[in-house]
Amino acid sequence: MQSHRIAVIPGDGIGVEVCGAARAVLDAIGRRHAIDLTYDEFDWSCARYLAEGAMMPTGGLSQIRHHDAIFLGAVGAPGVADHVSLWGLLIPIRRGFQQFVNLRPIRALDGRQDIDLVVVRENCEGEYSEIGGRLYQGTSAEMAVQESVFTRPGVTRIVDYALDLAERRTGRLTSATKSNGIIHTMPFWDEIVAERVAERSGVSVRSEHIDALCAKLVLDPAQFDVIVASNLFGDILSDLAAAVAGSIGLAPAANLDPTRAHPSMFEPVHGSAPDIAGRGIANPVGAIRTAAMMLDHLGHSEASDNIMAALESVFSGTSVRTPDLGGTARTEDLTRAIIEAI
Ligand code: NAI
Ligand code: MG
């Protein structure tokens, strides 16, 4: 039996609820595939911030550095500014562990829609940068400056990852750009994309301006396979594509350090959804697919496929759906149906 030690950060709101669902599924799959998962749970969250003044303890990263993977629900709570939860927890983990790939597969589960694509989002630099500042605060001359950071190594490694993935899939890569309006960083991005693809045969790249790309993704998602995008563009695109595929509650994500020097972190795309938190109606599927991605990363592709097949059979063979998909099922009903299918 193979053993793995997982650091679990349930977080806030529905993060806690979907984490519980994902763990129930992981326990069932572990029994079936002889995988021994042990969990260490961390209370890092906005609740902790309100009680103790920090999302995570000083030196928190060293507590999870030696785990095989990190599983996170979602963080964010009314009363705590969103930049506190993002910069106090998610970004330090993503950057501290050089999880430079944010992988977001988008696939409809009911087989009714022709959408099966992966957004490869750059996860360590780009528009999400703390370089900048504010001047003359509180006066009529108040101003804010925020710098984007694009580096040759940073862009090269994400483009190479996306090219590898496209090669293994259909050979079609779309690069999200905006080189007409953003005239320094985006032409730089485009140049590196062109350089890297020139070294490959078997992959074709199409560059699309992000605004037009959004419109095409809504109107005809079937034309896309792998999409590589900067941090901000990839963030927006993946929420959009998830909604096109049915609900943001269905979408999984992985923050990967492909070099495996550090643990990777697995978290659904959605946030803590304060509007529905505590009511037991959150869609657990995004978190459960996230668990499948984690198993795949840990070398258990059969167990991962088993979860995906169970999800597909629940979606094609039953009408158990949470309210975000138009149903009346509760989180636990859908989770139970998935475990029965496993
Ligand atoms: P959100 O994803 O939490 O919610 C957006 C909408 O989608 C809401 O109407 C919500 O009810 C619905 N929704 C999301 N996940 C769902 C699920 N599993 N089942 C059913 N419905 C679902 O995004 P929002 O409202 O922008 O952010 C809420 C909080 O979450 C904020 O504090 C934000 O900063 C945080 N957040 C955290 C993330 C993370 O921890 N990775 C990612 C995105 C937002
Ligand atoms: Mg987002």
Side-chain angles (χ1 to χ4, degrees), residues 140-336:
S140 59
E142 190 165 7
M143 61 171 283
V145 172
Q146 173 115 33
E147 304 283 7
S148 291
V149 176
F150 286 75
T151 67
R152 179 165 281 281
V155 179
T156 300
R157 66 186 180 178
I158 195 68
V159 169
D160 283 348
Y161 185 91
L163 284 166
D164 288 342
L165 185 63
E167 221 163 53
R168 292 200 301 276
R169 287 172 57 102
T170 64
R172 282 181 292 129
L173 177 66
T174 305
S175 165
T177 186
K178 191 63 193 170
S179 47
N180 54 353
I182 301 177
I183 59 164
H184 301 300
T185 54
M186 279 297 139
F188 180 60
W189 169 279
D190 292 351
E191 273 165 42
I192 296 176
V193 169
E195 280 170 33
R196 302 312 293 172
V197 75
E199 293 185 9
R200 310 265 179 149
S201 55
V203 185
S204 65
V205 177
R206 185 172 107 194
S207 279
E208 291 272 5
H209 291 306
I210 184 67
D211 43 353
L213 179 51
C214 286
K216 288 180 185 175
L217 202 53
V218 170
L219 294 174
D220 179 21
Q223 64 180 290
F224 297 104
D225 187 39
V226 180
I227 304 177
V228 64
S230 65
N231 210 333
L232 173 65
F233 291 172
D235 193 3
I236 297 170
L237 266 181
S238 49
D239 276 36
L240 178 85
V244 170
S247 165
I248 189 179
L250 296 171
N255 301 274
L256 302 175
D257 172 6
T259 72
R260 295 186 184 247
H262 310 90
S264 291
M265 176 165 68
F266 298 81
E267 51 165 335
V269 167
H270 65 75
S272 58
D275 54 338
I276 59 162
R279 290 168 50 197
I281 55 166
N283 190 335
V285 171
I288 290 168
R289 294 171 84 179
T290 299
M293 290 181 83
M294 182 175 80
L295 286 173
D296 194 41
H297 177 78
L298 293 172
H300 302 288
S301 58
E302 258 178 50
S304 173
D305 292 347
N306 191 172
I307 294 180
M308 291 309 293
L311 283 168
E312 273 160 25
S313 86
V314 167
F315 274 78
S316 60
T318 78
S319 56
V320 186
R321 303 281 188 281
T322 42
D324 57 309
L325 299 173
T328 55
R330 300 175 58 76
T331 309
E332 59 187 9
D333 303 326
L334 186 49
T335 306
R336 197 180 318 110

Side-chain angles (χ1 to χ4, degrees), residues 61 87 89-100 121-131 149 157 231 255 262 265:
L61 290 196
W87 286 91
L89 182 65
L90 293 176
I91 290 186
I93 296 176
R94 290 173 181 170
R95 294 202 177 156
F97 291 158
Q98 284 296 297
Q99 295 163 345
F100 67 86
R121 166 187 173 192
E122 200 291 319
N123 211 28
C124 283
E125 52 177 55
E127 304 87 346
Y128 292 8
S129 132
E130 67 264 68
I131 298 176
V149 176
R157 66 186 180 178
N231 210 333
N255 301 274
H262 310 90
M265 176 165 68

